[in-house]
Amino acid sequence: MKRKTKILIGLASAAVLVCGGLFGAGLYFYKVAVVPAPKSFLSKTKPIKKGDPLYPAHHWYQNADKQRWYEMSATRHLKLDANYIAAKQPTKKTIIIAHGFMSNKDNMFNYAYMFHNLGYNVLLPDSRGLGDSQGDYIGYGWPDRLDFVKWIHKVIDHNGSNSKIAVFGTSMGGATTMMVSGVKGLPHQVKAFIEDCGYTDVYSEVAYQAKELYHLPKFPLVHIVSGINHVKNGYSFKDASALKQVRKNKRPMLFIHGAHDHFVPTKMVYPLYRADKGPKQLLIVPGPGHSRSIQNRPTLYRNTVKKFLDKYLN
C-alpha cells in the first residue's frame, strides 16, 4: 500500500512538473507571439537612401501634409493614432491602410504613395500596441477589426455620407482587412477590400511559425498560448479567423499573395478566396519573400489595384 502511495505521489509530482514546464513555456511563447517587443525572427529595417527604389515614396511620405487623427478603441479604452493624407484633388474616395505584424503606419509609406498617386485620400492607423497607439498586446486583426469600423465612421464624418471607402492591408493587415469584411452592419460607404498576404486564422499562422522557427508541434503549446491569450485579451487564436469572416462578406475583394511566401504560406490564400461570397479576384505575384509583391512586380501590382478600384469605387 505504501509503495502504491509513493508511486502515485511520484506520478502526481511528475505531472505537476510537466504542467508547470508547459505553462512556463506557454508564457514565454505568449511574449514572443503577442507582446509588442523586438522580435529576433524579424529582419531589421534598413535606412532608405537616395538610389533605393523606395526612396521617392519614402521622401514623399516624410514631407506629406499629414493630419494626426485619434480614436478610442472599441474595447479596453485605448487611445489609437493615425495619419490622414488628403488627395491632391478633393475627393470622397479614401483608402484605409492596415499595417502588418510588429509594424506601424509609417512603414506603409509605399502603399500610401501608390494610392495617393491614384487620386485617393489615405488613412493610416496604428493597430493596438503598435506604433503610437496604446496597448500591451498584438491583436492580430481580431480586436482591431472593430477599431477599423470606428476609423471608417471617422472618415465618413470627415468626408461626408457620400464617401466611398476601401480597406487595404498587408500580412496581419491583410487578415485585419478580411476580418473587417465580415463585421455585421458595416457602413454602406465601404465599397471594397484589398488584402495582401493575410493568413487564414491566427491559430494556423502561429502553429506554422512554431514549427518553422522552433520545430515545435502545435499541440499542446499553441493551445496553451491561445488559452493564455484568451484569459488576458478576451479571444482565442481560433476565434481570430479571417476565413470565417470572408464567408460573411458579399462586397468586392481583391486577394493578393506572393507566389513563394514562406512566412504566411501562399497556400493560405486559396481557401480564403474560395470562401469569399462577394465579387472577387485573385492575383498571385511571381517572386520570393513575404509582403514583397509590390516590390517584386510594381507595375503589375499597381495596375491590378487601380483596375479593381476603378471598377468598384467609381
Side-chain angles (χ1 to χ4, degrees):
M1 199 68 181
K2 288 182 178 180
R3 186 183 176 193
K4 286 184 178 179
T5 303
K6 286 181 179 180
I7 290 171
L8 289 172
I9 291 171
L11 289 172
S13 299
V16 169
L17 287 172
V18 169
C19 290
L22 287 171
F23 183 71
L27 284 173
Y28 172 79
F29 282 106
Y30 170 83
K31 291 179 181 179
V32 171
V34 181
V35 175
K39 311 296 180 186
S40 60
F41 54 85
L42 296 177
S43 56
K44 293 181 180 179
T45 304
K46 297 178 182 178
I48 296 169
K49 301 177 181 179
K50 283 186 178 181
D52 190 308
L54 293 175
Y55 180 79
H58 187 259
H59 180 73
W60 165 81
Y61 183 78
Q62 293 297 107
N63 294 282
D65 184 12
K66 297 183 281 288
Q67 299 175 27
R68 203 75 176 268
W69 283 17
Y70 301 100
E71 184 59 87
M72 299 307 297
S73 61
T75 60
R76 299 289 178 96
H77 201 69
L78 303 170
K79 187 178 181 181
L80 306 177
D81 188 283
N83 283 337
Y84 178 82
I85 304 173
K88 288 179 253 186
Q89 301 297 325
T91 181
K92 300 294 184 180
K93 300 173 186 177
T94 304
I95 312 296
I96 303 178
I97 299 175
H99 64 73
F101 178 79
M102 283 306 299
S103 189
N104 59 63
K105 59 183 180 294
D106 295 332
N107 289 335
M108 301 301 283
F109 63 86
N110 200 21
Y111 302 98
Y113 183 62
M114 176 184 70
F115 289 121
H116 183 77
N117 286 337
L118 291 175
Y120 296 95
N121 309 311
V122 292
L123 177 67
L124 302 102
D126 277 330
S127 293
R128 298 179 182 207
L130 296 167
D132 295 311
S133 288
Q134 293 180 341
D136 59 1
Y137 67 102
I138 299 167
Y140 282 96
W142 189 242
D144 312 282
R145 80 196 192 284
L146 303 178
D147 300 338
F148 268 72
V149 174
K150 297 191 76 172
W151 286 120
I152 288 164
H153 282 288
K154 200 170 188 73
V155 169
I156 295 167
D157 290 343
H158 186 268
N159 291 335
S161 60
N162 56 345
S163 293
K164 294 181 179 181
I165 298 168
V167 182
F168 167 89
T170 64
S171 193
M172 185 182 84
T176 304
T177 298
M178 292 185 280
M179 291 171 184
V180 171
S181 78
V183 173
K184 188 177 180 180
L186 204 62
H188 68 85
Q189 288 88 349
V190 179
K191 304 299 182 184
F193 302 94
I194 303 174
E195 79 83 19
D196 182 345
C197 63
Y199 39 78
T200 49
D201 60 87
V202 176
Y203 180 88
S204 298
E205 176 60 14
V206 172
Y208 173 81
Q209 291 301 333
K211 183 179 179 182
E212 288 294 304
L213 297 174
Y214 302 101
H215 309 291
L216 293 170
K218 61 185 175 183
F219 184 83
L221 190 61
V222 178
H223 288 71
I224 294 169
V225 177
S226 177
I228 294 169
N229 189 70
H230 190 274
V231 171
K232 284 179 169 286
N233 303 319
Y235 71 94
S236 74
F237 288 167
K238 288 189 177 181
D239 289 335
S241 172
L243 187 61
K244 290 178 182 177
Q245 290 297 95
V246 295
R247 288 192 180 118
K248 305 173 192 175
N249 175 51
K250 294 183 179 179
R251 305 181 207 210
M253 177 90 72
L254 170 59
F255 296 84
I256 302 172
H257 219 105
H260 303 286
D261 189 337
H262 300 296
F263 193 81
V264 176
T266 307
K267 66 182 180 180
M268 282 192 173
V269 75
Y270 298 109
L272 290 163
Y273 177 74
R274 289 193 297 268
D276 188 78
K277 296 295 190 293
K280 55 192 175 182
Q281 181 179 346
L282 174 62
L283 173 66
I284 301 298
V285 179
H290 174 64
S291 194
R292 288 189 56 85
S293 292
I294 193 172
Q295 292 165 258
N296 288 338
R297 293 295 178 94
T299 302
L300 172 65
Y301 196 101
R302 182 185 185 278
N303 289 346
T304 304
V305 167
K306 180 182 186 303
K307 187 174 180 181
F308 178 81
L309 291 175
D310 285 347
K311 184 175 182 180
Y312 294 112
L313 262 67
N314 285 329

